Amino acid sequence: MLTKEQIAQRISKELEDGFYVNLGIGIPTLVANYVPEGINVEFQSENGVLGMGPFPTKEQVDADLINAGKQTITTLPGASFFDSELSFGMIRGQHINLTVLGAMEVSQSGDIANWKIPGKMVKGMGGAMDLVASAENIIVAMMHTNRAGESKLLKQCRLPLTGVNCVTKIVTNLAMLTIEKHQFVLQELAPGVSIDYVKGVTEGELVISNNCKVMEF
Amino acid sequence: MFFCIFNRIQFFQTMISKKVNSVQQALEGITDYMTLLVGGFGLCGIPENAIAELVRLNVKNLTCLSNNAGVDNFGLGLLLQKHQIKKMIASYVGENAEFERQMLSGDLEVDLIPQGTLVERCRSAKMGIPAFFTPAGVGTEVAVGKEVRTFNNKQYLLEYAADADFSLTKAWKGDEAGNIVFKGTARNFNQSMCGAAKINVVEVEELVPLGALDPNEIHVPGVFVQRIFKGEKYEKRIEKLTLSE
């Protein structure tokens, strides 16, 4: 099974040279720690910055410089600031190449739910609905099951949707899967995890890729 | 051969002043039941002085459009504590327990809207566009009751421009003419909101003399601003201090 850091590390292999990337809150944020050598990418934060750098030292902290998760950040040489309107123009206009976000549920059709549990938790969608409605390349980073041990990869989402038919790839603590023709396709297994185990905790239709292999780090 | 023509008409023109001397003057006219656009993202770039004055004025039944609702004891959270907000239009409200309590108990009306749609509603109001189509929210409960149109085989929702009485925004530097410049990610919603309401109020950390700002680097020209004032003090609270190891 993968740790959260390893999920992020696996996703980092999807980064391509020249990509502009939006990372969501939680596990996706960790992807920035594992950019492969020789690959140049720029991270966008939808509150208005391209070219995010690492978290600041105590001396560098600036209240006017945060990411979309409200954490203090720094910028790299060549960074730019802009307002929310331009930021979402970048997103809707498909100028951002890759979006990585967390999810409570994903369906075999690529629907995603991650903003509301009726009667229990309402935090809001933030920028997630804009991102999933426009991005062409969406990777979900999440645990394979919820705290109750139930599958988060479903035939149909039960929670209110964030977007429909948009997720193309999922990396969980157990596997890497793609979504094709309304099915989850198992592409890679986490080290030490069996196909049967993944089958047992995947509620949606699951097919095994002919090239299914063990993840390499 | 060059001709040089000297114009004998003297230039007496000065800039239109938008400066007011206090937050009290800046917020004059705000009354119960008004709709306010409030800038900021989280606690970054919020109009701290205007919010403090709203608390002092104790205006009630406000409709506030803002990306977030502050935290329990800062930002718009201060208005929530005193039950001054009737309706909140926001995209993310996860940082505020009092907000959640009032929402779940039904004391507070809440309209959650995708962030890009929220800012575009402000931009449209500012730019004279009554409505627009966006893909955000198609197929979700956000789309309920909204017109859906298909363009180039993709579905879009019809969303409307915001209609607000006041915008309360915060900038880094500004001049008497109302020209403003933001710093870092404190720009966020402030730029689009400034100019989107009937009366647009900007508070700045530094009010500089005319000519001190480079016209090439103005973020919002003074035409969008009705009142500008220097904020008395800024706490600039940090919501999630995160340091590198």
Side-chain angles (χ1 to χ4, degrees):
Chain A
M1 275 193 219
L2 304 185
T3 61
K4 288 179 179 180
E5 285 74 18
Q6 287 172 314
I7 294 175
Q9 202 177 346
R10 174 60 193 84
I11 290 173
S12 71
K13 292 186 165 191
E14 306 290 324
L15 300 173
E16 290 176 28
D17 197 37
F19 264 15
Y20 292 96
V21 182
N22 182 292
L23 301 176
I25 297 166
I27 302 173
T29 307
L30 302 172
V31 173
N33 299 335
Y34 300 101
V35 180
E37 223 177 295
I39 300 265
N40 292 307
V41 296
E42 279 187 36
F43 292 110
Q44 190 233 27
S45 194
E46 64 267 25
N47 58 319
V49 54
L50 258 177
M52 251 193 301
F55 295 123
T57 61
K58 253 184 202 160
E59 293 70 35
Q60 290 173 317
V61 168
D62 180 353
D64 291 326
L65 190 45
I66 63 168
N67 64 18
K70 282 104 182 174
Q71 295 171 303
T72 45
I73 54 162
T74 60
T75 52
L76 297 174
S80 57
F81 296 122
F82 36 86
D83 73 322
S84 302
E85 143 195 337
L86 196 63
S87 185
F88 282 92
M90 280 175 209
I91 290 165
R92 276 191 306 265
Q94 299 186 335
H95 305 282
I96 301 298
N97 305 94
L98 174 65
T99 294
V100 184
L101 72 176
M104 298 171 187
E105 295 176 348
V106 176
S107 84
Q108 63 195 33
S109 309
D111 299 348
I112 176 171
N114 71 353
W115 72 284
K116 183 179 185 181
I117 304 173
K120 269 193 193 163
M121 186 284 293
V122 185
K123 290 189 185 300
M125 65 292 278
M129 282 195 184
D130 306 270
L131 281 158
V132 300
S134 299
E136 287 186 313
N137 196 0
I138 300 173
I139 301 179
V140 165
M142 65 176 191
M143 293 294 140
H144 211 95
T145 54
N146 63 21
R147 279 180 197 148
E150 298 156 344
S151 180
K152 292 169 74 170
L153 287 78
L154 308 173
K155 288 190 167 62
Q156 271 191 325
C157 292
R158 298 174 189 125
L159 294 170
L161 295 179
T162 308
V164 293
N165 205 357
C166 54
V167 178
T168 50
K169 201 170 266 186
I170 307 165
V171 179
T172 74
N173 52 329
L174 303 180
M176 191 276 274
L177 312 96
T178 53
I179 293 178
E180 292 164 38
K181 297 175 189 159
H182 302 281
Q183 287 175 325
F184 295 111
V185 183
L186 179 60
Q187 303 285 358
E188 293 178 16
L189 285 163
V193 175
S194 70
I195 289 179
D196 282 344
Y197 189 80
V198 174
K199 273 185 183 166
V201 289
T202 306
E203 189 226 78
E205 297 275 342
L206 179 72
V207 296
I208 317 300
S209 164
N210 292 333
N211 304 316
C212 184
K213 56 176 188 177
V214 175
M215 245 176 239
E216 284 168 24
F217 287 94
Chain B
M1 191 66 133
F2 293 97
F3 292 94
C4 192
I5 300 169
F6 289 98
N7 192 335
R8 291 192 172 197
I9 299 167
Q10 272 196 317
F11 228 67
F12 290 114
Q13 197 184 332
T14 55
M15 305 305 276
I16 303 166
S17 178
K18 306 292 173 73
K19 185 184 158 196
V20 293
N21 290 316
S22 66
V23 65
Q24 287 79 18
Q25 272 179 290
L27 300 201
E28 215 173 86
I30 294 189
T31 55
D32 294 355
Y33 295 97
M34 277 191 168
T35 297
L36 312 178
L37 309 178
V38 184
F41 184 98
L43 300 178
C44 183
I46 58 171
E48 293 185 26
N49 291 274
I51 291 171
E53 179 62 11
L54 288 175
V55 173
R56 203 192 62 80
L57 286 169
N58 200 25
V59 281
K60 301 268 190 196
N61 290 304
L62 298 172
T63 295
C64 291
L65 188 154
S66 186
N67 188 54
N68 313 92
V71 295
D72 277 338
N73 56 4
F74 203 56
L76 289 180
L78 295 170
L79 300 187
L80 287 165
Q81 272 180 358
K82 292 186 69 188
H83 296 266
Q84 291 176 260
I85 301 178
K86 172 176 69 95
K87 181 177 181 180
M88 190 73 217
I89 304 169
S91 89
Y92 190 82
V93 293
E95 327 286 358
N96 192 319
E98 175 62 16
F99 182 97
E100 206 162 2
R101 198 197 62 70
Q102 289 186 24
M103 176 172 59
L104 292 172
S105 70
D107 292 350
L108 180 68
E109 211 181 312
V110 179
D111 205 355
L112 288 169
I113 291 183
Q115 200 170 120
T117 303
L118 196 65
V119 74
E120 197 63 19
R121 289 182 66 184
C122 299
R123 191 193 87 98
S124 300
K126 178 174 176 174
M127 303 299 184
I129 305 285
F132 58 93
F133 285 99
T134 177
V138 168
T140 74
E141 61 184 58
V142 166
V144 174
K146 289 178 185 165
E147 184 182 336
V148 179
R149 281 268 294 273
T150 303
F151 299 94
N152 303 321
N153 298 319
K154 187 168 169 164
Q155 291 189 315
Y156 296 82
L157 297 183
L158 181 65
E159 297 278 2
Y160 293 90
D163 179 14
D165 299 291
F166 275 79
S167 74
L168 306 175
T169 55
K170 188 255 167 188
W172 177 32
K173 292 179 188 173
D175 64 20
E176 201 171 311
N179 299 306
I180 53 175
V181 176
F182 302 100
K183 179 168 158 271
T185 55
R187 195 182 318 185
N188 55 59
F189 277 71
N190 286 302
Q191 184 164 336
S192 302
M193 285 180 172
C194 185
K198 293 181 187 80
I199 297 177
N200 301 282
V201 178
V202 185
E203 56 178 87
V204 291
E205 287 177 58
E206 293 176 43
L207 196 59
V208 301
L210 287 177
L213 297 176
D214 181 347
N216 287 301
E217 294 176 358
I218 303 286
H219 291 140
V220 179
V223 68
F224 292 111
V225 174
Q226 278 70 48
R227 301 173 191 172
I228 189 167
F229 72 101
K230 186 185 178 308
E232 206 171 274
K233 69 176 175 86
Y234 287 95
E235 187 179 330
K236 290 206 189 177
R237 202 184 286 188
I238 292 174
E239 212 165 324
K240 291 181 185 166
L241 179 67
T242 311
L243 301 172
S244 59
E245 285 138 310

